[in-house]
């Protein structure tokens, strides 16, 4: 019963979700909205579990003086400060807003900005022309990158009324070979998603329940 | 008022046809027909990756992506997690899993606990190793990168749906010298993983992962059905292209 119950429930809800996509029936639509509401409730409850897990994880590190325990103090202090700030004042003003605007937000932006450096280091590795395929990738990469900047419009030639530039070639690479590969991947992904959904609905795939497949 | 969304009818027909193909192949697998599945390098490397972590005495890090539990990519990731946790249990290797979504965390804790129990090592399960970090995208990236730098896992799995943080995670893992296996259906993030990881499961391979690792006959049948459906789509595309080259307006005929 421990696994049969969830499988039956998965089948019923899965079929309901499948049918609701194809029918404008009001009753089914209402059930669909019910499921979305329940999801919010479940999320709220598990968020509490998540915050408790976060707190316990770092508390244990502090207690045992594990490697990086000082960072755990910062995390726990930040967590408690944000909660206390929001309760004592308001989530719209006071220390909570200040911490969000001047600490959390800039830190998130900093992490995002680091991406530029990571792109540079990854590109350096990817664009080394050590084989024919790598050389092909490098050539395509250079054409696409140059074609995306104003300079790319100037590199090329005119034949009659038509102008052939790096920008034209770049667009061609993106629209045909690149798009063909992307669509190939997307068709596979679509079939994979549908197949996984069917396997879960009919109860063949049960690993997500914590049971062996 | 129609009982059906007429514009969605082709999708319904395609879904039912696809389900029929899957069921046919599953029945064939049940009868014991031989099923050949091509080798997937990224999944073949799972044992090697877990073994390496064991030899080095370092943990394994598993990232399930950023999407919530209702996304199929996350379900596929959790399915692969079950297989990875089994191997980690057999090799007595610690598995760390920072999560962005509390529901995913709860499901993952249950999956890992069950996997370790199945291999006879429930004592290895520590709920504190599968923990919640933050909902923030780059906050999560920072937390995972920090874990990689401090804990120095020997093996990193990035399996699920990722966004702009993919390269930050993969490059940090690369800098720590970990063996990295990534798998995603996010086509925009694939180039980043290919640059920085040792093995990458591309698109549909992510969904085949759990089946490939478990080698369960029924699921292999479903995988074979998926391939058959892909062959049918390829045939339809080829036929459409030939007809278009011959000047036949297929779209107007279908409409």
């Amino acid at each position: 019963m421990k696994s049969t119950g969830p499988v039956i429930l998965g089948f019923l809800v899965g079929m309901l979700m499948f049918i609701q996509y194809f029918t404008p029936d009001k009753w089914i639509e209402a059930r669909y909205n019910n499921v979305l509401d329940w999801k919010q409730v479940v999320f709220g409850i598990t968020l509490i579990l998540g915050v408790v897990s976060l707190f316990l994880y770092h508390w244990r590190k502090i207690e045992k003086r594990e490697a990086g325990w000082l960072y755990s103090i910062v995390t726990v202090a930040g967590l408690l400060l944000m909660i206390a700030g929001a309760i004592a004042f308001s989530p719209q003003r006071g220390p909570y807003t200040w911490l969000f605007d001047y600490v959390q937000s800039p830190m998130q932006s900093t992490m995002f900005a680091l991406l530029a450096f990571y792109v540079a280091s990854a590109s350096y590795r990817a664009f080394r022309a050590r084989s024919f395929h790598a050389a092909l990738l490098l050539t395509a990469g250079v054409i696409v990158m140059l074609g995306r900047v104003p300079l790319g419009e100037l590199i090329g030639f005119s034949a009659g009324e038509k102008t052939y530039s790096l920008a034209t070639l770049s667009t061609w690479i993106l629209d045909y070979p690149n798009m063909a590969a992307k669509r190939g991947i997307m068709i596979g992904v679509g079939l994979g998603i549908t197949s996984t959904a069917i396997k879960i609905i009919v109860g063949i795939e049960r690993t997500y329940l914590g049971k062996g497949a | 008022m129609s009982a059906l969304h007429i514009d969605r009818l082709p999708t319904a027909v395609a879904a039912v046809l696809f389900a029929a193909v899957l069921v046919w192949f599953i029945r064939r697998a049940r009868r014991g027909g031989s099923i050949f599945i091509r080798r997937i390098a990224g999944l073949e490397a799972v044992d090697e990756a877990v073994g390496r972590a064991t030899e080095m005495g370092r943990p394994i890090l598993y990232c399930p992506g950023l999407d919530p539990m209702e996304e199929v990519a996350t379900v596929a990731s959790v399915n692969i997690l079950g297989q990875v946790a089994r191997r980690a249990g057999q090799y007595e290797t610690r598995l760390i899993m920072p999560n962005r979504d509390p529901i995913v965390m709860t499901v993952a804790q249950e999956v890992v606990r069950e996997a370790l129990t199945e291999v006879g090592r429930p004592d290895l399960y520590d709920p504190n190793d599968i923990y919640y970090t933050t909902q923030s995208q780059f906050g999560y990236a920072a937390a995972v990168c920090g874990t990689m730098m401090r804990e120095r896992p020997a093996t990193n799995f990035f399996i699920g749906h990722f966004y702009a943080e993919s390269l930050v995670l993969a490059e940090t893992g690369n800098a720590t010298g970990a063996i990295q296996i990534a798998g995603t259906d996010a086509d925009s993030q694939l180039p980043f993983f290919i640059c920085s990881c040792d093995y990458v499961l591309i698109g549909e391979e992510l969904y085949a992962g759990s089946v490939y690792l478990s080698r369960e006959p029924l699921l292999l049948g479903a995988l074979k059905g998926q391939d058959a459906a892909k062959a049918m789509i390829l045939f339809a595309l080829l036929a459409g292209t030939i007809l278009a080259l011959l000047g036949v307006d297929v779209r107007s005929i279908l409409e």
Side-chain angles (χ1 to χ4, degrees):
Chain A
M1 190 60 202
K2 196 186 167 194
S3 64
T4 314
V7 169
I8 293 171
L9 197 66
F11 175 77
L12 293 175
V13 177
M15 285 309 290
L16 185 75
M17 293 295 107
F18 178 77
I19 292 166
Q20 72 80 29
Y21 181 75
F22 298 107
T23 174
D25 187 89
K26 292 286 169 207
W27 185 87
I28 291 181
E29 195 185 328
R31 300 293 79 76
Y32 173 68
N33 288 328
N34 282 154
V35 171
L36 294 185
D37 292 343
W38 293 341
K39 192 205 145 204
Q40 293 300 319
V41 175
V42 172
F43 181 82
I45 295 166
T46 50
L47 189 59
I48 297 169
L49 287 177
V51 172
V52 170
S53 141
L54 177 75
F55 183 82
L56 290 177
Y57 175 79
H58 288 284
W59 187 255
R60 189 189 64 169
K61 284 185 95 170
I62 296 166
E63 230 176 19
K64 293 184 177 174
R65 298 285 192 275
E66 282 179 20
W69 66 280
L70 284 170
Y71 299 116
S72 293
I73 291 182
V74 177
T75 308
V76 171
L79 176 71
L80 297 177
L81 244 138
M82 289 292 264
I83 294 171
I87 293 171
F89 296 88
S90 155
Q92 275 82 43
R93 59 184 174 81
Y96 178 88
T97 318
W98 190 89
L99 282 167
F100 185 85
D101 288 344
Y102 299 109
V103 181
Q104 187 176 334
S105 199
M107 284 197 299
Q108 286 176 354
S109 305
T110 307
M111 278 306 292
F112 185 51
L114 282 175
L115 201 56
F117 299 99
Y118 286 125
V119 167
S121 66
S123 303
Y124 174 73
R125 272 202 312 279
F127 289 154
R128 274 181 296 185
R130 286 188 298 191
S131 64
F132 173 71
H133 291 111
L136 211 59
L137 181 71
L138 171 66
T139 313
V142 168
I143 292 170
V144 170
M145 282 190 283
L146 278 176
R148 299 282 102 185
V149 293
L151 181 69
E153 298 274 359
L154 302 173
I155 305 171
F157 63 91
S158 295
E161 285 184 1
K162 285 194 170 179
T163 303
Y164 298 95
S165 66
L166 274 185
T168 323
L169 190 56
S170 159
T171 309
W172 183 86
I173 289 172
L174 290 174
D175 285 353
Y176 294 96
N178 179 62
M179 187 58 81
K182 272 178 84 168
R183 283 186 180 157
I185 292 171
M186 292 322 291
I187 288 172
V189 167
L191 288 173
I193 289 175
T194 315
S195 166
T196 307
I198 292 171
K199 283 185 286 182
I200 289 170
I201 288 174
V202 299
I204 300 172
E205 177 68 85
R206 299 177 185 199
T207 319
Y208 72 101
L209 292 173
K211 291 281 165 199
Chain B
M1 192 175 142
S2 171
L4 279 173
H5 283 297
I6 296 298
D7 55 329
R8 292 177 184 176
L9 199 59
T11 315
V13 172
V16 171
L17 267 176
F18 182 46
V21 171
L22 282 192
V23 169
W24 191 84
F25 274 93
I26 290 168
R27 284 170 68 93
R28 203 182 121 189
R30 188 171 278 164
R31 285 198 301 269
S34 69
I35 292 169
F36 170 76
I37 301 290
R38 74 174 167 85
R39 193 176 160 272
I40 301 175
L43 295 169
E44 290 282 324
V46 168
D47 276 332
E48 176 202 337
V50 176
R52 183 175 184 260
T54 311
E55 280 171 14
M56 295 176 80
R58 291 201 207 151
I60 297 166
L61 182 112
Y62 193 99
C63 283
L66 265 72
D67 272 357
M69 201 61 227
E70 65 262 30
E71 295 299 328
V72 186
T74 311
V75 176
S77 174
V78 168
N79 288 342
I80 295 176
L81 168 72
Q83 304 295 344
V84 172
R86 264 184 206 95
R87 281 156 175 81
Q90 284 160 350
Y91 289 111
E92 298 180 18
T93 305
R94 189 176 159 220
L95 178 72
I96 307 172
M97 186 175 170
N99 290 279
R100 187 203 182 206
D101 187 291
I103 299 179
V104 177
M105 178 200 80
T106 315
V107 174
Q109 283 178 337
E110 183 66 13
V111 166
V112 172
R113 193 171 63 82
E114 287 283 348
L116 293 174
T117 307
E118 269 176 35
V119 294
R121 295 308 307 268
D123 54 302
L124 292 177
Y125 175 67
D126 183 355
N128 287 318
D129 282 339
I130 299 157
Y131 55 96
Y132 175 73
T133 53
T134 169
Q135 276 275 299
S136 149
Q137 180 189 11
F138 283 97
Y140 176 74
V144 176
C145 291
T147 304
M148 282 193 265
M149 296 309 288
R150 287 189 298 275
E151 305 269 0
R152 297 268 163 183
T155 304
N156 296 331
F157 287 94
F158 303 114
I159 313 272
H161 196 91
F162 291 85
Y163 298 87
E165 75 295 334
S166 65
L167 190 62
V168 177
L169 301 175
E171 275 294 289
T172 307
N174 189 293
T176 62
I179 185 168
Q180 305 202 100
I181 300 177
T184 188
D185 59 349
D187 58 329
S188 55
Q189 305 307 319
L190 279 170
F192 299 133
F193 279 139
I194 289 169
C195 279
S196 309
C197 296
D198 299 281
Y199 300 96
V200 182
L201 304 175
I202 298 173
E204 64 190 308
E205 291 176 346
L206 164 69
Y207 299 100
S210 149
V211 181
Y212 191 93
L213 292 170
S214 72
R215 294 274 159 185
E216 211 276 327
L218 287 186
L219 293 172
L220 282 175
L223 191 59
K224 205 67 189 167
Q226 199 177 312
D227 280 351
K230 196 161 54 173
M232 286 176 200
I233 291 173
L234 279 175
F235 178 75
L237 285 173
L238 200 66
T241 307
I242 292 169
L243 287 172
L245 286 171
L246 292 172
V248 181
D249 190 357
V250 184
R251 185 176 289 181
S252 66
I253 295 169
L254 287 174
E255 280 171 357

